[in-house]
Amino acid sequence: MNCRICNTTTKKFLDLGKQPIANNFLIEDQFDSEYFYKLEVFFCPECYTVQIGNVPDKEQIFNENYAFFTSTSNHMIQHFRELANIIKNNNHLSKDGFIVEIGSNDGTFLKNFRGYNHLGIEPSMSVASAAQKRGVRTLCVFFNEEAAEKIVERNGQADVIVTTNCFPHMIDRESVLKGIKILLKPKGIWINEEASLNEVINLGSYDQFYNEHVFFSSIASFRNTMFLYDLNLLDVDYLKVHGGSLRFFSSHADVGGRKHKIKDYIRTESLRNFERFLEFEYRVEETRKRFLQRLFLLRGNTVGYAATAKSTTVLNYCKIGTNLISKIYDTTPIKQGKFSPGMHVPVVSYDSFKEDKPKNVVLFAWNHAKEIYEKEKDKDINWILPI
Ligand code: TYD
């Protein structure tokens, strides 16, 4: 396949088999009509962007059934409060400035800007309506060039644009980047957070690959993408969230200079060489074997903790159903009483976790381990990591 950014022929390094839509938790009546696609991951040797192959249409994913609510993690609520303080305290936004969040989910981040001129853009009605109920102004549309023009017409350009864990989701990247250029004031700043590809490779966390994560940025590929779209990568911060993330600060191309440290970061992350991805593929297969062996030894006496999108990739790649994991406990009401995509493991309310007192528990939300271990520290649990 050709790279979606620069049209160069890509190289495949991972095949995770037939996969369902990762956040499409379903009821029994929907089993027969469930949609599957082939999950393959590619590397572009020219602009270095990592991307998955064919994915379902975005309307099939981001709609009234979309089940990921940012506010399910207290740690993330705190993380976004801190980001809001950085924006307020570093003169990025004056009291009468305008801030836009694209992919604003249930308003967890923007609720910190309720006294400001703010706007959330969120195509999934399930989460957009939760944001509106919290007093966060939200437009339920997909962001692109056309949406940007309409926002500028009605509200003017933005001083700050924020995208957290959603830029990699947007398959029509060309129109999205053109939209960001239209929406951003000449001296405005765009802050983008996403999982660090370097950490995905280091941790072997292949479960980060699923239909929503179409793109993965290294610092090198992000810098190249900015260059191609007449934007400028100003700075990068490393964050601990989601198993290691990057926060990119960008502006229009004619603002500021490129900082020297970005060149050093690119050299250190070492993600321009295909060999590194081939080695990752080998480790993924080893991880699958090790995980299955562990579950076999426990003879099906195991449950799951958190019905994450990541768990969909693991369960379907390893072909794990109720024979090995009897149920998954989760705090999200919209997922409870349903079945996991593809392998159809029942998802039950977290409330029963305390009464059931399971011993062997697979931590699918390993990225929230600190928060969860703290919450469950009084229980005698044999935690098992899927990666
Ligand atoms: P996350 O890793 O952000 O999910 P994803 O892989 O889908 O991006 O975790 C969010 C999910 O984990 C959500 O379904 C709620 C669940 N969860 C719990 O059930 N308990 C918890 O303590 C936490 C932090 C998350």
Side-chain angles (χ1 to χ4, degrees):
M1 99 175 219
N2 283 5
C3 173
R4 292 185 182 91
I5 307 298
C6 69
N7 210 26
T8 304
T9 307
T10 55
K11 295 177 166 189
K12 183 165 97 176
F13 65 89
L14 193 61
D15 183 344
L16 293 166
K18 216 173 77 165
Q19 293 277 347
I21 296 177
N23 264 313
N24 189 33
F25 293 85
L26 65 185
I27 54 171
E28 228 165 322
D29 285 354
Q30 297 168 319
F31 286 179
D32 290 342
S33 58
E34 194 171 10
Y35 179 91
F36 287 87
Y37 68 102
K38 203 165 158 44
L39 179 53
E40 295 173 314
V41 195
F42 299 83
F43 168 76
C44 173
E46 192 62 33
C47 73
Y48 314 127
T49 303
V50 164
Q51 54 209 287
I52 63 174
N54 287 327
V55 286
D57 291 340
K58 57 184 190 288
E59 290 79 6
Q60 255 178 296
I61 305 165
F62 303 107
N63 51 40
E64 67 285 356
N65 298 323
Y66 187 62
F68 178 82
F69 286 67
T70 307
S71 59
T72 49
S73 162
N74 287 329
H75 192 82
M76 290 313 289
I77 295 174
Q78 178 61 25
H79 170 77
F80 288 125
R81 199 175 296 135
E82 281 161 21
L83 174 58
N85 287 337
I86 290 173
I87 292 170
K88 289 175 190 171
N89 298 337
N90 285 11
N91 295 329
H92 292 312
L93 188 72
S94 62
K95 201 66 193 130
D96 55 357
F98 179 35
I99 180 163
V100 175
E101 185 185 14
I102 303 167
S104 48
N105 199 271
D106 59 6
T108 300
F109 167 70
L110 271 187
K111 78 175 173 27
N112 297 297
F113 289 92
R114 274 183 293 209
Y116 288 73
N117 186 11
H118 69 266
L119 183 65
I121 316 290
E122 173 51 62
S124 310
M125 190 42 105
S126 51
V127 284
S129 62
Q132 281 157 346
K133 281 186 199 131
R134 291 203 161 106
V136 172
R137 277 184 63 211
T138 307
L139 203 59
C140 190
V141 294
F142 285 98
F143 182 80
N144 53 24
E145 235 179 313
E146 204 189 323
E149 273 161 8
K150 285 195 183 133
I151 298 165
V152 173
E153 224 174 86
R154 277 185 230 149
N155 310 75
Q157 285 179 302
D159 298 88
V160 181
I161 298 176
V162 174
T163 48
T164 64
N165 305 307
C166 88
F167 184 56
H169 298 193
M170 295 189 273
I171 190 158
D172 32 8
R173 194 165 255 213
E174 181 169 353
S175 180
V176 168
L177 286 166
K178 285 182 177 166
I180 286 176
K181 276 201 71 76
I182 293 167
L183 184 58
L184 194 64
K185 272 191 185 165
K187 298 234 174 311
I189 187 141
W190 168 33
I191 301 172
N192 171 48
E193 283 182 20
E194 55 182 274
S196 153
L197 179 61
N198 201 23
E199 286 306 313
V200 170
I201 302 296
N202 284 342
L203 292 172
S205 50
Y206 72 89
D207 54 351
Q208 297 268 23
F209 293 108
Y210 54 89
N211 58 278
E212 286 176 33
H213 295 169
V214 180
F215 297 101
F216 279 79
S217 303
S218 58
I219 300 173
S221 74
F222 196 84
R223 196 238 354 228
N224 289 345
T225 306
M226 293 302 95
F227 181 72
L228 284 171
Y229 286 88
D230 210 19
L231 289 156
N232 187 24
L233 176 59
L234 297 170
D235 205 354
V236 186
D237 278 345
Y238 178 78
L239 311 168
K240 282 196 177 143
V241 293
H242 291 309
S245 299
L246 296 172
R247 180 181 283 157
F248 296 102
F249 295 84
S250 304
S251 65
H252 287 286
D254 53 359
V255 177
R258 195 163 282 137
K259 292 198 173 166
H260 286 306
K261 69 175 180 183
I262 288 174
K263 273 192 190 156
D264 295 337
Y265 288 167
I266 290 174
R267 219 170 293 128
T268 316
E269 73 175 358
S270 176
L271 284 168
R272 291 176 287 181
N273 189 342
F274 188 57
E275 303 310 310
R276 182 125 184 251
F277 296 97
L278 288 179
E279 190 234 353
F280 172 76
E281 181 200 21
Y282 173 78
R283 277 169 44 221
V284 169
E285 179 53 15
E286 292 300 298
T287 304
R288 183 183 73 89
K289 286 188 203 148
R290 216 176 30 240
F291 182 49
L292 276 173
Q293 200 172 27
R294 190 122 187 242
L295 295 183
F296 284 139
L297 286 174
L298 294 167
R299 295 168 205 280
N301 205 358
T302 308
V303 299
Y305 194 107
T308 58
K310 293 183 288 294
S311 71
T312 298
T313 298
V314 173
L315 295 175
N316 287 278
Y317 174 58
C318 301
K319 307 231 172 350
I320 295 168
T322 45
N323 53 331
L324 289 178
I325 293 183
S326 57
K327 55 180 124 171
I328 306 174
Y329 296 87
D330 195 282
T331 53
T332 318
I334 194 175
K335 295 181 186 177
Q336 295 161 0
K338 293 193 178 163
F339 293 85
S340 75
M343 296 311 294
H344 305 157
V345 177
V347 180
V348 298
S349 165
Y350 169 72
D351 294 342
S352 49
F353 189 77
K354 288 165 231 156
E355 295 140 38
D356 294 355
K357 295 195 185 76
K359 172 94 181 103
N360 305 310
V361 183
V362 177
L363 183 59
F364 286 117
W366 52 263
N367 46 319
H368 300 292
K370 197 165 165 228
E371 178 177 350
I372 292 170
Y373 289 162
E374 179 60 31
K375 191 157 82 181
E376 312 297 353
K377 65 174 184 248
D378 57 329
K379 303 181 186 75
D380 179 25
I381 293 174
N382 170 30
W383 292 107
I384 301 159
L385 292 177
I387 55 157

